[in-house]
Amino acid sequence: MSRVIELERAANLVATSKPMPARRQVDEATGAVVNDVIRELQACYTAWRQAWPDDKALNAYRKSLIKAFAEAGITTLEQVRYAMQRCRQDAADFAPSAGKLVQWCQPTPEMLGLAPLERAYAEVCRNVHPCQAPSARWSHAAIYHAAVAAGFSNLQLLPRDAGLKLFGRHYDAVCRRLGDGEELPPAPMAALPAPLRKGSPEVANEHLAKMRAKLGGRRG
């Protein structure tokens, strides 16, 4: 019986233990990224010495960044390139918080060469209209897939503020996928109208003659 109890205890210990080696690997990768990020922040923000006057303050900020990045799954410089781009364009003197940097890691539509939210929503409102849907043309697959995720019927019925909020949430998610390197399926192409056939002058004159004959007959 004692042998069975020992085995049960060992099984419980294994079941409740945490994968510490994998966690350490994530922390090490995130820590290396954070060190490069901090160097970039020091180059971008002139008041960094006031924010981090000593090693204690700098280490506290570093730990906060490591925790925030690890929780968000950010472990490569490629993932923070959009945040660093925003930092270089930021007019503030002090570096952003860890939470703000995590938010900035998500690219804006403009960073990806897409229409801004308001313009994309205007395109969606046109294309989901029942009269327009059969011939809808999409400027980018991202706008189409965000509209599909939001639901055409929802976007048709919701008032503007609610529709914009709903579409914006899905548009952000699609932009995040693009920022991670995912390729989206293309949006469906609208059927082009059949080209007009040019008739010969003789055929046109013949039709005109028939029309005149009918009109003349009615007058009589």
Side-chain angles (χ1 to χ4, degrees), residues 40 44-45 80-90 104 107-108 110-112:
E40 185 74 16
C44 292
Y45 295 96
V80 300
R81 67 188 187 279
Y82 298 110
M84 293 299 95
Q85 181 178 338
R86 293 197 189 188
C87 288
R88 289 189 291 270
Q89 298 171 353
D90 189 12
W104 282 1
T108 64
E110 294 88 337
M111 288 179 174
L112 298 170

Side-chain angles (χ1 to χ4, degrees), residues 144-177:
Y144 167 76
H145 288 290
V148 169
F152 281 19
S153 59
N154 292 330
L155 296 172
Q156 291 171 7
L157 299 174
L158 287 173
R160 185 185 186 283
D161 290 346
L164 179 63
K165 183 177 180 180
L166 174 65
F167 172 74
R169 184 167 68 250
H170 291 286
Y171 197 35
D172 285 343
V174 172
C175 288
R176 188 180 303 113
R177 290 162 57 189

